[in-house]
Amino acid sequence: MPDTPLSAPPVPPAPVILGDEPGSFPHSVLAERHPAIVRQVRESFPYGPEQHDALDALLANCTKGVVEPLPADAHDVDRWSAWGMDAYTGRSWFDVPWLWSESHFYRRLLDAVGYFGPGPWQGIDPFRPSKLAELDSRETDEELAALDELSGRPVAEQTAALLHGSLWGNRADLGFRLSDAEAEERAAVPGLVADDSDTLRTLLGGTGTLCLIADNAGRELIPDLLLIAHLLAHGRIGRAILHVKPYPYYVSDATTMDVVDGLRRLTRAPGEAAVHGRRLWAAMADGRLAVRAHPFSCAPLPYADMPDDLRAELTTADLTVLKGDLNYRRLVGDRRWPPTTPFAEVTAHFPGPVAALRTLKSDVITGLEADTEAALVTAEGQRWRTSGTHALIQVRS
């Protein structure tokens, strides 16, 4: 059966974010980032004429054309029909919800390179070279080496450090760096714009189940895996379920293969990194760590519209942690909420306690204190929303 029909948001809705305003961040993603991604993918593999022609057609279509229907024999045509395909066909990519437009771009990109097959390129991740380069980078070596010193610190200090490592690891986002090459060089703001970390730690204090909905692969997924290993080792959780994407998405979003690559990277590293890696490998074998790749993970819809089977699974978790900017947009709804809109209200639809760990890279924001918003606007205008130099930890328990 198709995924559940669209449901009403939990509070009176703010306007849905579109990409139709020149000069806006969403417009720049559609007009500049997506073409850059097409060019990057084209150069990453020795594709043949068929893939080159399809990529050229996608480049022209997504910048100057309209949304076209999927082929009638596409394996997921019914799913995308339920996700809004019929309503948006024939409209400009800039005139439909930005979340939908972005998501559909990646679906069409995989079609262009033959990912869904049949053929020799079936199942080949077009973003894999960039992901592997990041895993093998000097920066990753340095971050893993820091675990050796951390292992001698008190457990509470280790927990705090690994939690913030998971949070700030979100800056290692390949898609974000394509449109803002200097993002990672700018100093992160020490204070978070919202910080519910104390509440989060109280929810990580037993033998229950943690669901972690991952965002990016590579240098972001590694800190996520390290945090899970630490929580398992010290009895802060009894089991972890790691939700990843069923196919490549948003340049660097994590898939099952990226989890495997991350675990291999840890186990072959020296020192404490390898200890964590072996611990996670064993946890996979005995079921204390499981990986899920639900189709809704690649849906162009908010989590308010999640299907019943996913909702039932998340209901069993003692806590669900959503990583990254895209998951935040899907959690609260990709709308122009007033920044002081209560986080608890816009996440009331979510089954069970939920936490968001997010580095700010898009306009949507909720749950800020009025004086925090005022100070940010005074200092930076609206740049703080998208610069990647601010972060938040928000919890609804």
Side-chain angles (χ1 to χ4, degrees):
M1 104 179 222
D3 294 307
T4 55
L6 305 187
S7 61
V11 294
V16 171
I17 295 177
L18 307 179
D20 59 345
E21 182 182 342
S24 68
F25 184 72
H27 188 277
S28 72
V29 169
L30 299 180
E32 301 168 19
R33 183 187 294 185
H34 287 180
I37 289 169
V38 171
R39 289 190 288 270
Q40 180 198 49
V41 166
R42 184 187 179 106
E43 295 168 1
S44 295
F45 285 95
Y47 290 123
E50 180 180 352
Q51 288 76 35
H52 280 259
D53 290 346
L55 287 169
D56 289 342
L58 175 62
L59 179 59
N61 176 253
C62 74
T63 54
K64 300 177 181 178
V66 298
V67 175
E68 298 176 353
L70 289 173
D73 60 351
H75 73 283
D76 54 354
V77 65
D78 289 342
R79 181 174 294 133
W80 274 95
S81 179
W83 289 348
M85 182 88 251
D86 299 340
Y88 299 138
T89 294
R91 294 170 61 178
S92 166
W93 291 74
F94 295 82
D95 294 335
V96 303
W98 181 43
L99 175 63
W100 197 97
S101 188
E102 279 195 289
S103 297
H104 195 62
F105 166 78
Y106 288 99
R107 171 61 181 82
R108 302 312 290 246
L109 180 64
L110 293 183
D111 251 351
V113 298
Y115 180 87
F116 295 114
W121 294 103
Q122 185 175 17
I124 302 297
D125 183 347
F127 311 122
R128 187 163 169 77
S130 298
K131 293 174 176 179
L132 292 178
E134 187 177 274
L135 272 182
D136 293 333
S137 68
R138 173 181 55 81
E139 290 83 359
T140 301
D141 290 337
E142 294 171 351
E143 289 161 2
L144 294 181
L147 291 171
D148 295 338
E149 179 183 350
L150 184 63
S151 65
R153 304 288 182 86
V155 172
E157 189 174 332
Q158 294 181 43
T159 303
L162 291 170
L163 178 63
H164 279 262
S166 178
L167 169 64
W168 287 109
N170 184 229
R171 299 180 81 204
D173 177 337
L174 301 177
F176 181 65
R177 294 208 304 271
L178 276 173
S179 60
D180 192 351
E182 298 178 356
E184 202 170 352
E185 300 302 320
R186 291 193 294 271
V189 175
L192 307 184
V193 300
D195 186 4
D196 295 335
S197 54
D198 287 344
T199 303
L200 177 56
R201 281 191 287 269
T202 66
L203 294 172
L204 295 171
T207 58
T209 297
L210 167 70
C211 280
L212 193 152
I213 301 180
D215 190 34
N216 295 306
R219 283 175 54 211
E220 180 179 351
L221 185 60
I222 289 290
D224 295 342
L225 292 171
L226 293 174
L227 177 61
I228 289 172
H230 171 82
L231 295 174
L232 286 171
H234 293 281
R236 303 299 299 271
I237 57 173
R239 184 169 185 252
I241 302 175
L242 182 63
H243 285 256
V244 296
K245 303 299 189 294
Y247 53 77
Y249 192 62
Y250 276 75
V251 182
S252 53
D253 280 26
T255 65
T256 302
M257 191 68 246
D258 297 316
V259 176
V260 174
D261 287 338
L263 292 176
R264 286 175 173 162
R265 178 69 174 88
L266 288 173
T267 56
R268 72 171 188 259
E272 283 297 312
V275 174
H276 286 290
R278 289 192 294 268
R279 183 177 292 133
L280 290 168
W281 201 282
M284 289 282 286
D286 64 26
R288 287 177 298 127
L289 173 59
V291 178
R292 298 282 189 271
H294 195 284
F296 192 75
S297 294
C298 291
L301 302 175
Y303 281 106
D305 300 323
M306 74 176 78
D308 292 340
D309 62 330
L310 179 59
R311 181 174 294 276
E313 179 170 346
L314 295 178
T315 299
T316 67
D318 293 83
L319 173 66
T320 299
V321 173
L322 290 91
K323 282 295 307 294
D325 199 77
L326 174 61
N327 280 325
Y328 188 87
R329 292 164 58 193
R330 297 185 68 196
L331 174 64
V332 305
D334 202 31
R335 296 174 176 271
R336 297 193 181 280
W337 300 111
T340 55
T341 302
F343 178 75
E345 289 189 20
V346 293
T347 59
H349 63 85
F350 201 87
V354 62
L357 273 62
R358 176 212 183 188
T359 307
L360 277 60
K361 302 176 188 174
S362 65
D363 291 301
V364 64
I365 185 72
T366 67
L368 294 193
E369 298 291 338
D371 56 350
T372 300
E373 181 198 1
L376 288 165
V377 172
T378 298
E380 305 178 40
Q382 296 301 324
R383 174 70 174 164
W384 60 273
R385 293 174 180 258
T386 60
S387 64
T389 56
H390 297 274
L392 58 79
I393 299 174
Q394 290 177 322
V395 178
R396 195 217 73 218
S397 56

